[in-house]
Amino acid sequence: MLIRKPSDIPPSEITPQAVYLRRREFVKQALALGLLAPVMPAQARPVPAQKLPGRPSAFSATEKLTKYEDVTGYCNYYEFGTGKTDPSVYAPRMKTRPWSVMVDGTVRSKREFGIEELLKLAPMEERVYRHRCVEAWSMVVPWVGYPLAELIKRVEPTAGAKYVAFTTRVDPDTMVGTRLPVLDWPYVEGLRIDEAMHPLALLTFGLYGELLPNQNGAPVRVVVPWKYGFKSAKSIVRITFMEQQPRTAWNTAAPSEYGFYSNVNPEVDHPRWSQARERRIGEDGFFTPKRKTLMFNGYGDRVASLYTGMDLRKFF
Ligand SMILES: Nc1nc2c(c(=O)[nH]1)N[C@H]1C(S)=C(S)[C@@H](COP(=O)(O)O)O[C@H]1N2
Ligand SMILES: [Mo]
């Protein structure tokens, strides 16, 4: 398998920080002239981000990366609003330090981890993953993180740990979306323990060699590349191990639309979106033919064995 090193990424696929710095200069001057009053939130973008390199991984896809602007500008993060650009406008105001993650439930060593400790827990890897949203669009993102299993094994789950739930931040001051009952906040997602222990499940702290921008789930999120994007909870504050399958935000809101498993499956359609095909953000326009969606988002050779004997229509 071809391993993609950061040095192999053509410069055209990376947004130079200089562009952001120039944009900020422009915003500063425009503000001085009183031109940009209505777009004030945009200048809250933290520039430049702190570097977070990761060693190359054999799990990385070799497809063309989605542009940095699209990864960080076209987001789903309903706590900051339901529009695709809302998170990039509103999320920069959220404070991500200090931050800690409570790890509890059916584990021998439950405790709180500070974000600085989590960042040092295991070596960082760069994982280029296909990222497939249930809304039938996809991206290819160079995430930086380490296997979630690294954290899980340190807290020693007991025999009663069959599932794990991820609870994410609620901060009504900055998360304007949480003032409305769009979902039953906080956003909670969950995995079966063997899914969470799978080497592809990534505890993620960065993208494009830098700390995660807030709109992508700073300071820590999970990325589960063989499942629809909503399973990959952002800005996690609590990880709870349990015997029973956890209630999750989307499954509670619309159980017939969002199953607990939500493995990418081109043969099982969502009531509002066919899952057979997808539009690659930044490459496929609205009128170009969509590309075919792959079973388990193309990760079937590594994850299909987790589901042997299961009816994937029933457990969608
Ligand atoms: N806390 C939280 N996590 C979330 C969401 C959200 O609204 N809130 N949206 C999900 C959805 S629907 C998708 S497609 C991915 C988007 O991740 P990205 O914006 O980094 O591409 O985040 C997921 N994680
Ligand atoms: Mo999504």
Side-chain angles (χ1 to χ4, degrees):
M1 187 182 279
L2 199 135
I3 298 176
R4 190 161 192 174
K5 297 186 293 302
S7 56
D8 290 336
I9 302 168
S12 60
E13 290 182 27
I14 302 175
T15 303
Q17 287 303 320
V19 171
Y20 285 100
L21 294 169
R22 270 204 305 278
R23 195 172 295 163
R24 209 162 112 114
E25 260 319 296
F26 167 76
V27 169
K28 239 162 68 188
Q29 285 174 18
L31 280 172
L33 295 168
L35 297 177
L36 282 185
V39 293
M40 279 290 277
Q43 55 117 41
R45 180 192 276 278
V47 205
Q50 201 179 306
K51 295 274 174 254
L52 187 69
R55 62 184 187 196
S57 163
F59 291 118
S60 281
T62 52
E63 280 153 81
K64 184 169 180 231
L65 301 182
T66 299
K67 283 204 305 274
Y68 180 89
E69 290 92 333
D70 288 330
V71 174
T72 61
Y74 187 93
C75 297
N76 272 340
Y77 198 161
Y78 276 21
E79 287 87 331
F80 292 105
T82 53
K84 294 288 180 263
T85 56
D86 288 344
S88 63
V89 172
Y90 296 110
R93 287 183 50 225
M94 173 175 68
K95 284 210 171 67
T96 60
R97 294 291 187 284
W99 192 283
S100 61
V101 179
M102 185 65 198
V103 184
D104 61 2
T106 52
V107 292
R108 236 162 252 123
S109 4
K110 66 178 80 160
R111 67 184 187 90
E112 201 158 11
F113 290 82
I115 188 65
E116 304 304 337
E117 184 186 359
L118 277 182
L119 279 161
K120 281 182 254 151
L121 206 68
M124 289 291 170
E125 296 176 35
E126 179 172 81
R127 298 272 186 102
V128 178
Y129 282 162
R130 281 180 295 279
H131 173 36
R132 173 61 161 77
C133 177
V134 75
E135 296 162 347
W137 51 263
S138 64
M139 297 186 181
V140 180
V141 184
W143 302 109
V144 183
Y146 52 74
L148 177 58
E150 291 287 343
L151 173 63
I152 296 178
K153 66 190 188 201
R154 281 169 175 83
V155 296
E156 304 173 278
T158 63
K162 304 275 197 300
Y163 294 90
V164 55
F166 305 91
T167 305
T168 86
R169 177 85 178 276
V170 183
D171 171 27
D173 279 346
T174 59
M175 293 174 149
V176 289
T178 63
R179 296 175 199 165
L180 299 169
V182 178
L183 286 173
D184 186 8
W185 313 109
Y187 192 103
V188 175
E189 256 312 332
L191 296 171
R192 218 169 55 189
I193 189 81
D194 57 340
E195 298 177 319
M197 290 293 292
H198 191 281
L200 283 174
L202 197 71
L203 194 63
T204 304
F205 302 87
L207 59 79
Y208 266 105
E210 296 178 347
L211 288 181
L212 284 171
N214 287 358
Q215 61 266 36
N216 295 97
V220 57
R221 70 177 296 177
V222 287
V223 176
V224 191
W226 69 95
K227 293 177 179 282
Y228 294 116
F230 71 87
K231 296 296 294 181
S232 296
K234 295 176 169 181
S235 308
I236 293 167
V237 294
R238 186 172 175 195
I239 300 178
T240 307
F241 294 80
M242 52 186 75
E243 176 105 44
Q244 305 297 329
Q245 184 175 302
R247 286 187 55 183
T248 62
W250 281 108
N251 185 245
T252 303
S256 62
E257 298 190 19
Y258 307 99
F260 177 79
Y261 284 92
S262 284
N263 294 312
V264 174
N265 188 340
E267 286 157 28
V268 178
D269 284 337
H270 180 277
R272 282 177 286 139
W273 300 283
S274 161
Q275 299 301 347
R277 291 177 176 272
E278 65 200 50
R279 183 168 60 91
R280 185 63 52 84
I281 299 298
E283 293 179 51
D284 305 341
F286 275 101
F287 302 106
T288 46
K290 293 180 176 179
R291 62 190 73 204
K292 276 200 166 123
T293 290
L294 304 172
M295 187 63 198
F296 295 115
N297 204 21
Y299 298 98
D301 53 347
R302 298 191 189 277
V303 302
S305 61
L306 293 171
Y307 309 103
T308 32
M310 269 176 72
D311 178 349
L312 297 179
R313 276 182 191 281
K314 185 161 173 235
F315 298 99
F316 64 97

